[in-house]
């Protein structure tokens, strides 16, 4: 198909940013060249970001072939990740704020300096030790966004325990499944969490999860943070209050010397495409990559206030709230609440209150706020903002422009960062001081990252083209295995294309070498033999002034093979009728071409999303195909009612 791609407006690097940037154009070229011509020197530069106990002598030992699949970096070095994030800053910036906590309730906040963080982490680590947790043990965290969540992660890292953070919005069943999968001996939780003024019964959910015998058999102790102070049930043999346990420990806790390849954490993927996978990350390479990418992608400068709005239950929270920023000695803002509580201005009020310089969020939040109009943004200053970022899904150019012009007042570069739970850190992204921006494009691979596009047969495609996105070589932050299932690791990521890591995503590369992620390869629609990326059709829909959000899937079609089925959420106050449906269908045909003719358009008051806010197209595909009795794994679905509503309305078609 003659693909039609409207000429993107280019936003050049602002002079002011370029002048002071950590990486400007010239430096970017140098780094890229070094990574190609002198690989060892380049990776050694990344490895040197870590303070090693025993320096490594080997840099990289990687084989992507299925019969001997292994990934090792800096593998004879030793370190402690917690010491790298906390102890090493004590001399130079002990009194600087490490964690700046903003409560769900706008009246509540807390500043924790590096010295205070050190004290809290050491005591917490000693509590874990007293509960019998040691090196290599798995600990499940089921926490609200309070400082103890980060403290608990760092405490695990300090004693060499492997944390598995489960998002606090997950159900007891989902929690039990994850406890069993990684065989956790300890669960850390809070009585309740607060989000948007509502309490979530975290401890109660843990009790329910542990009513599953399989889970209960594994867990010796549940450590509970008193957060809201409301009543909870108690099992005296198993449950421990953190504040009581802390009375019996001191603040001396030597960090455990860990090998670079010792596991740091397990984290389950979002479940957008199927059953979540227990992604395993190790210590040295992961930390080096999180630290380096945090610095260059956000152009982080000493003393800046940095805010990533993710939850620690997602990889973004791991790499870019906790490990990356703290390794770099940054002040990282941790937010307990939601974007629309008490009202739609909350994010920007927090930005003004704490004078945030760098702000990193997800397209789902941007689209939701865009739906509420400009006014809640405009009435705040946001003058402190310098750099913006997004992650999680393709961002439609429409939402990008709104983020850029309204939130950033046309002044702040946007880092559209493509990466995955599996990649540990950002792989494709612009650098604020080096890359001209095209709205909707994650732009170029970072230095050292070997991205390629393949056709279905595994042939590497050159130049401007579309294909399946792979990485042909490793980077230090890459996942090492699926926990407990190395075979699944191979089958999932290395079986499709021999010797290459398959991301599962499709992408287009333009004449400037910029990458445009078109969505998951499973989501591509094949209309009369032509491949149509869902992201493209969705972007066209969202570009219409009546549309707030859209999801597009294929469905079986007698003549075309697959037809195009669109679910459309309208802007607040708009009503969907036959006339508007016709108009939208015509609009998309004009934007993309006749191949993108929507066969069926359904109004959707809401779209099914994962709890991290990503659209679950696999569920929409089932509804479109009238197979709603086979929805598959729905444990990560945020709001089941949305699905019921869509099924109900589908039936009437
Ligand atoms: P699962 O693997 O369980 O189906 P998931 O892929 O949603 O879930 P994550 O690891 O949280 O789990 O998300 C990574 C995916 O998110 C990427 O593979 C890509 O599809 C999408 N993504 C992330 N960032 C971007 C971005 N900047 N642009 C486009 N897509 C993105
Ligand atoms: Mg995935």
């Amino acid at each position: 198909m003659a693909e039609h791609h409207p000429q993107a407006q280019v936003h050049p690097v602002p002079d002011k940013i370029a002048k002071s940037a950590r990486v400007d154009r010239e430096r970017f070229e140098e780094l890229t060249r070094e990574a190609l011509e002198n690989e060892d020197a380049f990776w050694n530069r990344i490895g040197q970001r870590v303070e090693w106990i025993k320096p490594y002598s080997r840099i990289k030992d990687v084989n992507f072939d299925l019969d001997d699949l292994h990934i090792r970096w800096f593998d004879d070095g030793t370190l402690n990740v917690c010491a790298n994030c906390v102890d090493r800053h004590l001399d130079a910036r002990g009194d600087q704020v490490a964690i700046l906590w903003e409560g769900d309730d706008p009246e509540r906040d807390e500043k924790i300096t590096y010295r205070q963080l050190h004290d809290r982490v050491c005591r917490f680590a000693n509590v874990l030790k007293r509960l019998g947790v040691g090196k290599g043990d798995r600990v499940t965290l089921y926490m609200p966004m309070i400082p103890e969540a980060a403290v608990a992660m760092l405490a695990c890292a300090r004693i060499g325990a492997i944390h598995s953070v489960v998002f606090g919005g997950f159900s007891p069943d989902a929690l039990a499944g994850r406890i069993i999968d990684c065989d956790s001996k300890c669960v850390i939780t809070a009585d309740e969490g607060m989000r948007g003024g509502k309490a979530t019964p975290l401890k109660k959910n843990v009790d329910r999860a542990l009513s599953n015998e399989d889970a209960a058999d594994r867990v010796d102790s549940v450590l509970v943070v008193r957060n809201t102070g409301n009543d909870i049930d108690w099992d005296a043999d198993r449950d421990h209050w953190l504040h009581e346990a802390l009375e019996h420990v001191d603040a001396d806790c030597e960090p455990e010397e860990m090998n670079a390849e010792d596991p740091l954490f397990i984290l389950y993927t979002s479940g957008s495409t199927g059953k979540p996978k227990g992604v395993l990350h190790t210590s040295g390479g992961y930390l080096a990559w999180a630290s380096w990418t945090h610095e260059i992608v956000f152009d982080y400068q000493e003393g800046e206030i940095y805010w990533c709005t993710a939850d620690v239950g997602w990889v973004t929270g791991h790499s870019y709230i906790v490990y990356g920023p703290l390794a770099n000695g940054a002040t990282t803002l941790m937010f307990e609440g939601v974007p629309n509580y008490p009202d739609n201005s909350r994010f920007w009020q927090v930005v003004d209150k704490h004078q945030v310089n760098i702000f990193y969020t997800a397209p789902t939040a941007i689209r939701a706020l865009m739906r509420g109009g400009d006014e809640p943004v405009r009435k705040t200053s946001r003058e402190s903002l310098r750099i913006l970022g997004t992650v999680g899904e393709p961002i439609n150019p429409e939402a990008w422009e709104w983020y850029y012009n309204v939130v950033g007042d046309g002044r702040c570069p946007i880092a559209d960062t493509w990466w995955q739970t599996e990649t540990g850190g950002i792989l494709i992204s612009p650098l604020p001081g080096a890359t001209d921006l095209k709205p909707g494009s994650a732009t170029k691979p970072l230095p050292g990252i070997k991205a390629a596009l393949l056709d279905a047969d595994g042939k590497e495609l050159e130049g401007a083209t579309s294909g399946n996105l792979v990485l042909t070589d490793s980077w230090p932050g890459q996942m090492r295995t699926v926990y407990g299932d190395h075979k699944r690791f191979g089958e999932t990521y290395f079986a499709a294309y021999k010797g290459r890591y398959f991301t599962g995503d499709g992408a287009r590369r333009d004449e400037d070498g910029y990458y445009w992620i078109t969505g998951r390869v499973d989501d591509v629609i094949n209309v009369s033999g032509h491949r149509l990326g869902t992201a493209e059709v969705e972007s066209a829909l969202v570009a219409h002034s009546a549309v707030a959000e859209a999801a597009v899937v294929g469905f079986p079609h007698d003549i075309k093979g697959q037809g195009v089925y669109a679910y459309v959420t309208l802007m607040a106050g708009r009503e969907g009728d036959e006339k508007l449906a016709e108009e939208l269908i015509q609009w998309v045909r004009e934007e993309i071409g006749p191949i993108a003719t929507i066969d069926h358009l359904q109004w959707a008051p809401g779209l099914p999303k994962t709890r991290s806010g990503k659209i679950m197209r696999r569920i929409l595909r089932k509804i479109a195909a009238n197979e709603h009795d086979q929805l598959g794994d729905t444990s990560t679905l945020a709001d089941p009612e949305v699905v019921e509503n869509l099924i109900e309305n589908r039936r009437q078609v």
Side-chain angles (χ1 to χ4, degrees):
M1 155 192 177
E3 290 183 51
H4 166 85
H5 302 290
Q7 204 56 47
Q9 196 199 336
V10 177
H11 296 268
V13 176
D15 286 342
K16 203 171 153 208
I17 302 274
K19 251 189 236 140
S20 62
R22 294 235 175 213
V23 178
D24 60 11
R25 281 178 213 280
E26 209 178 311
R27 186 81 189 121
F28 181 78
E29 297 298 327
E30 275 168 24
L31 287 166
T32 305
R33 205 174 323 116
E34 183 183 63
L36 286 173
E37 292 168 4
N38 193 351
E39 226 188 287
D40 277 0
F42 176 78
W43 292 122
N44 189 41
R45 176 191 298 287
I46 309 292
Q48 287 308 312
R49 299 193 63 91
V50 168
E51 197 173 270
W52 299 93
I53 299 172
K54 177 176 159 280
Y56 56 84
S57 68
R58 287 194 296 268
I59 291 186
K60 178 183 168 201
D61 174 11
V62 170
N63 189 345
F64 280 0
D65 288 335
L66 284 179
D67 46 19
D68 182 29
L69 175 59
H70 66 264
I71 298 158
R72 297 179 198 123
W73 284 86
F74 316 118
D75 74 337
D76 57 348
T78 66
L79 77 160
N80 182 277
V81 169
C82 173
N84 268 274
C85 292
V86 184
D87 306 40
R88 80 157 138 172
H89 304 307
L90 292 179
D91 284 345
R93 51 174 76 89
D95 297 322
Q96 183 203 304
V97 177
I99 296 177
L100 177 48
W101 180 77
E102 167 77 13
D104 185 55
D105 173 352
E107 302 293 308
R108 296 186 62 206
D109 57 22
E110 192 184 348
K111 295 187 167 86
I112 302 168
T113 65
Y114 273 97
R115 201 175 312 286
Q116 290 164 335
L117 182 61
H118 181 256
D119 187 82
R120 281 167 78 157
V121 168
C122 288
R123 288 177 194 276
F124 201 116
N126 282 335
V127 166
L128 291 176
K129 281 191 191 166
R130 275 179 65 103
L131 293 176
V133 178
K135 186 168 172 174
D137 289 337
R138 274 79 56 212
V139 176
T140 295
L141 273 64
Y142 185 66
M143 293 286 277
M145 281 291 286
I146 56 176
E148 278 77 10
V151 171
M153 289 163 77
L154 293 164
C156 287
R158 195 166 191 88
I159 63 174
I162 306 167
H163 58 71
S164 161
V165 184
V166 177
F167 173 54
F170 276 132
S171 67
D173 273 354
L175 175 61
R178 286 161 176 75
I179 289 171
I180 294 166
D181 188 79
C182 70
D183 197 12
S184 287
K185 73 188 289 188
C186 174
V187 177
I188 306 174
T189 190
D191 47 6
E192 295 178 315
M194 288 301 289
R195 271 164 69 87
K198 287 193 222 72
T200 321
L202 295 174
K203 170 64 163 62
K204 194 170 173 183
N205 288 349
V206 171
D207 291 342
R208 287 199 185 135
L210 296 181
S211 69
N212 174 325
E213 264 177 47
D214 220 0
D217 282 349
R218 295 157 206 265
V219 174
D220 305 333
S221 52
V222 176
L223 184 60
V224 187
V225 180
R226 192 164 63 189
N227 187 37
T228 62
N230 291 329
D231 283 346
I232 50 171
D233 289 344
W234 202 255
D235 175 343
D237 292 333
R238 184 198 68 192
D239 300 343
H240 306 263
W241 280 115
L242 175 69
H243 61 273
E244 287 176 2
L246 283 171
E247 287 169 13
H248 307 289
V249 296
D250 60 27
D252 282 329
C253 177
E254 270 303 302
E256 190 76 29
E257 181 171 355
M258 305 295 287
N259 181 272
E261 286 300 334
D262 281 336
L264 177 63
F265 66 84
I266 298 162
L267 184 64
Y268 294 85
T269 54
S270 311
S272 306
T273 54
K275 186 176 177 286
K277 301 164 277 278
V279 169
L280 183 88
H281 282 289
T282 57
S283 301
Y286 168 81
L287 187 70
W289 192 248
S291 151
W292 189 63
T293 51
H294 171 260
E295 182 176 288
I296 65 161
V297 170
F298 301 108
D299 188 36
Y300 167 72
Q301 314 254 350
E302 188 78 34
E304 285 195 310
I305 310 292
Y306 162 88
W307 180 16
C308 165
T309 70
D311 190 280
V312 287
W314 314 123
V315 72
T316 311
H318 284 58
S319 303
Y320 299 110
I321 294 178
V322 179
Y323 290 116
L326 293 179
N328 293 341
T331 297
T332 180
L333 194 149
M334 193 172 173
F335 178 44
E336 186 182 28
V338 294
N340 59 357
Y341 177 82
D343 59 52
N344 265 331
S345 290
R346 184 64 191 279
F347 272 178
W348 326 122
Q349 289 157 358
V350 175
V351 165
D352 287 349
K353 175 179 174 186
H354 296 295
Q355 292 294 293
V356 171
N357 307 112
I358 303 169
F359 178 78
Y360 189 29
T361 195
T364 182
I366 299 166
R367 289 191 299 256
L369 292 170
M370 187 168 89
R371 210 178 166 200
D374 298 1
E375 202 269 339
V377 191
R378 298 263 190 223
K379 71 181 192 202
T380 62
S381 155
R382 288 157 286 107
E383 218 172 343
S384 58
L385 286 178
R386 202 170 65 81
I387 307 285
L388 302 172
T390 130
V391 60
E393 288 180 290
I395 178 165
N396 338 99
E398 190 74 8
W400 194 104
E401 292 285 0
W402 186 82
Y403 194 28
Y404 186 81
N405 290 310
V406 180
V407 174
D409 281 324
R411 156 175 71 72
C412 311
I414 298 178
D416 175 355
T417 63
W418 176 88
W419 59 297
Q420 312 178 294
T421 309
E422 294 89 336
T423 69
I426 297 164
L427 298 194
I428 305 181
S429 171
L431 303 186
T435 320
D436 295 337
L437 305 175
K438 298 186 192 181
S441 171
T443 76
K444 294 185 172 187
L446 297 184
I449 297 306
K450 294 184 185 148
L453 298 178
L454 307 185
D455 69 10
D457 304 323
K459 190 164 91 48
E460 192 164 330
L461 303 166
E462 303 292 332
T465 184
S466 303
N468 298 336
L469 179 64
V470 300
L471 285 316
T472 62
D473 205 345
S474 185
W475 62 97
Q478 185 170 21
M479 77 182 279
R480 302 305 197 249
T481 191
V482 170
Y483 186 76
D485 199 347
H486 200 58
K487 194 158 161 265
R488 188 175 174 203
F489 180 52
E491 283 162 3
T492 310
Y493 304 103
F494 300 93
Y497 303 112
K498 191 175 158 18
R500 283 161 295 195
Y501 168 83
F502 178 40
T503 65
D505 287 342
R508 177 167 75 81
R509 189 171 50 216
D510 70 16
E511 45 296 327
D512 297 322
Y514 277 43
Y515 284 78
W516 301 72
I517 309 298
T518 47
R520 292 180 172 75
V521 172
D522 298 349
D523 291 337
V524 168
I525 310 173
N526 203 319
V527 184
S528 311
H530 301 291
R531 292 162 63 81
L532 201 57
T534 52
E536 209 174 353
V537 186
E538 288 161 9
S539 288
L541 280 165
V542 175
H544 189 285
S545 64
V547 177
E549 194 158 39
V552 168
V553 296
F555 73 109
H557 190 286
D558 290 346
I559 300 154
K560 304 187 201 172
Q562 273 192 311
V564 180
Y565 196 112
Y567 298 84
V568 175
T569 306
L570 293 172
M571 285 288 185
R574 291 292 299 245
E575 282 289 326
D577 57 22
E578 208 43 49
K579 191 165 152 282
L580 182 57
E582 275 311 314
E583 185 181 323
L584 291 177
I585 291 169
Q586 197 49 39
W587 167 272
V588 173
R589 280 175 61 101
E590 277 163 26
E591 290 272 303
I592 302 178
I595 193 69
T597 300
I598 294 168
D599 298 279
H600 197 102
L601 190 147
Q602 179 173 342
W603 304 118
L607 295 170
K609 292 187 179 169
T610 63
R611 287 174 198 254
S612 53
K614 298 175 195 230
I615 299 170
M616 290 171 91
R617 291 182 191 74
R618 68 181 161 90
I619 288 186
L620 292 171
R621 263 200 303 274
K622 291 289 180 190
I623 298 175
N626 254 322
E627 294 170 353
H628 35 76
D629 48 341
Q630 315 159 28
L631 292 182
D633 184 302
T634 53
S635 67
T636 63
L637 189 63
D639 180 3
E641 269 174 40
V642 166
V643 174
E644 282 155 32
N645 174 296
L646 293 178
I647 293 172
E648 195 49 45
N649 289 312
R650 168 69 176 137
R651 284 207 191 100
Q652 293 160 6
V653 174

